[in-house]
Amino acid sequence: MRFAEAAGMALVQKYATFSGRASRSEYWWFVLFYSLVLFAIGLACLVTASFSDLRDGVPPPVALLLFIGGLIWLAMFLPQVAVQVRRFHDRNISGWWYLALFVCGFVPYVGFIAGIAVFVISVLPGTEGPNRFGPDPLRPEARAEVFA
């Protein structure tokens, strides 16, 4: 899967689809796209703020950029969670484990370990062939005789 395909699939075709599986390439291309969008918004805010006088509070152009950035982050939050859950499914792990690790992320010290666990699960290859969450995204033609 390529960059544009992954971004389009996560944002348009599977915006809030939590079922099925996501290959590593689909997940990591979307993560790159998401990071680049947030970086561009942050950079635009930084550049705009550097040319503004901040003594009287946040100037309107910076506030507008922060507002737009917040809306974009909010709009992209659901597809990011959906593609992460589908990535867990590719490893044959329930998406509820992602919720548990996400909640553990707010606990001091435990959050660091939860973040490492999510990263490791995202990096590992998916199960070969179909699993209980659907067909293999890399080889959808492979069939399973029995789902366990």
Side-chain angles (χ1 to χ4, degrees):
M1 181 167 291
R2 296 186 179 194
F3 180 76
E5 284 179 67
M9 183 173 292
L11 290 175
V12 178
Q13 296 172 345
K14 296 181 179 181
Y15 183 83
T17 303
F18 292 89
S19 61
R21 295 166 64 176
S23 65
R24 279 189 294 183
S25 62
E26 178 184 349
Y27 173 76
W28 286 109
W29 281 123
F30 180 73
V31 167
L32 177 64
F33 171 75
Y34 186 61
S35 300
L36 288 175
V37 167
L38 293 181
F39 178 76
I41 291 169
L43 188 63
C45 288
L46 184 66
V47 167
T48 306
S50 68
F51 290 115
S52 302
D53 185 17
L54 298 177
R55 287 180 288 196
D56 298 329
V58 178
V62 175
L64 179 65
L65 282 173
L66 288 172
F67 179 73
I68 291 171
L71 287 179
I72 291 173
W73 177 84
L74 193 60
M76 290 181 69
F77 179 75
L78 192 59
Q80 190 277 329
V81 171
V83 76
Q84 182 69 62
V85 167
R86 290 196 314 271
R87 182 73 199 121
F88 268 56
H89 288 174
D90 194 37
R91 290 281 312 140
N92 205 16
I93 301 171
S94 173
W96 292 107
W97 281 103
Y98 177 62
L99 176 65
L101 290 170
F102 182 80
V103 170
C104 287
F106 293 105
V107 178
Y109 303 111
V110 176
F112 181 71
I113 296 168
I116 290 173
V118 170
F119 177 74
V120 168
I121 291 169
S122 299
V123 168
L124 291 173
T127 56
E128 290 187 22
N131 65 18
R132 62 187 172 142
F133 298 105
D136 190 345
L138 300 178
R139 290 172 292 285
E141 67 277 351
R143 303 259 183 228
E145 296 187 17
V146 177
F147 285 108

